[in-house]
Amino acid sequence: SGHGEGSRGSLIVLEGLDRSGKTSQSSRLVSFLEGRGVPVETWHFPDRRTSIGGMISSYLANNAQLDDRAIHLLFSANRWEKRSLMEAKLKSGTSLIVDRYSYSGVAFSAAKGLAIEWCKAPEEGLIAPDMVVYLDILPERAAERGGYGNERYEQLEFQRKVSDNYHDLSDSTWKIIDACLPEEDIQTQLRSLALECITGCRSGKPLSTLWL
Ligand code: FDM
């Protein structure tokens, strides 16, 4: 009930440092929403399954070297190549729970010293999220969780810079959840935020584009 003709899905983005719990929280959220009969998919950027994604993946694994601006543009291109599918899904009523988006793109590249405005430019015109949820954790606490692997960015010094950049990018519309709360509590907060967002979008809020 309540699915009006033409009602669209929501674009919900989860952001946060490595080890903040985004991936497990977003998959639990999707199962919950599916159980409630909400049409929903979980997406993840970078999408390593495309050919651009393959280049990103070998860069992250330190198997390829790339200029900082070149890799930045590949991450952005990896979102652009999914844009039309994203729009089609949303318009057909499917909500998308997206693990990382343009904010990761800017926060990570700017941590290498690139200017924020330069980093934001190629993201302009992508679909704007209806809600950004930030799983907030101090870089030191994230590092204590262990499981930093061997990927390029998984180092404390770098994650500190990324964290600062996320805080610069965030605005009053972001929903911040303390990532050090028990997993259950985080999930409870996430569920109610997501349901509220999905309900709001169904009742006619138009899609918009970055940057808001
Ligand atoms: N990352 C992710 C970026 O540097 N730019 C981006 O646009 C995106 C989406 O890639 F360290 C970084 C963030 C992370 C790495 O991400 C791989 P996952 O979530 O571990 O796959």
Side-chain angles (χ1 to χ4, degrees):
S1 65
H3 298 245
E5 192 66 46
S7 73
R8 71 167 178 91
S10 295
L11 180 59
I12 297 178
V13 167
L14 263 73
E15 287 282 3
L17 294 181
D18 290 297
R19 312 303 300 160
S20 59
K22 293 182 305 304
T23 308
S24 63
Q25 291 292 344
S26 59
S27 62
R28 283 190 65 187
L29 175 63
V30 167
S31 311
F32 164 77
L33 293 170
E34 282 169 345
R36 303 267 299 227
V38 176
V40 65
E41 289 180 12
T42 177
W43 282 31
H44 178 94
F45 287 110
D47 183 339
R48 302 187 193 214
R49 299 166 300 181
T50 69
S51 54
I52 293 169
M55 296 168 73
I56 293 171
S57 190
S58 42
Y59 171 82
L60 290 170
N62 290 302
N63 292 327
Q65 309 310 317
L66 279 169
D67 175 83
D68 291 345
R69 289 178 175 83
I71 184 65
H72 180 77
L73 295 173
L74 288 178
F75 274 113
S76 183
N78 186 231
R79 284 182 280 281
W80 278 103
E81 66 181 338
K82 308 295 284 194
R83 189 203 189 279
S84 60
L85 182 61
M86 184 179 260
E87 183 171 8
K89 294 272 181 191
L90 293 168
K91 287 188 169 165
S92 77
T94 299
S95 289
L96 304 176
I97 311 300
V98 183
D99 182 355
R100 297 193 184 283
Y101 197 54
S102 302
Y103 313 95
S104 282
V106 175
F108 280 77
S109 289
K112 300 169 177 174
L114 300 181
I116 296 261
E117 289 311 315
W118 190 91
C119 294
K120 288 173 83 168
E123 307 298 314
E124 190 178 332
L126 288 171
I127 301 172
D130 295 298
M131 177 169 75
V132 180
V133 178
Y134 184 70
L135 294 187
D136 193 22
I137 187 169
L138 287 172
E140 293 74 14
R141 295 295 304 278
E144 281 165 13
R145 293 185 170 183
Y148 272 168
N150 296 315
E151 284 209 329
R152 191 178 282 269
Y153 299 146
E154 298 181 330
Q155 292 161 27
L156 182 56
E157 249 338 285
F158 191 79
Q159 298 280 324
R160 282 202 181 102
K161 292 182 186 150
V162 173
S163 173
D164 290 344
N165 292 335
Y166 271 131
H167 287 98
D168 289 347
L169 283 171
S170 69
D171 62 36
S172 60
T173 68
W174 283 31
K175 310 294 180 186
I176 316 282
I177 301 180
D178 179 354
C180 291
L181 289 172
E183 277 185 51
E184 246 0 90
D185 299 1
I186 296 170
Q187 185 61 208
T188 304
Q189 288 189 40
L190 195 52
R191 286 175 183 180
S192 77
L193 289 169
L195 287 172
E196 194 183 333
C197 181
I198 289 166
T199 306
C201 292
R202 270 188 199 138
S203 59
K205 181 171 162 265
L207 280 176
S208 57
T209 56
L210 289 178
W211 289 93
L212 293 178

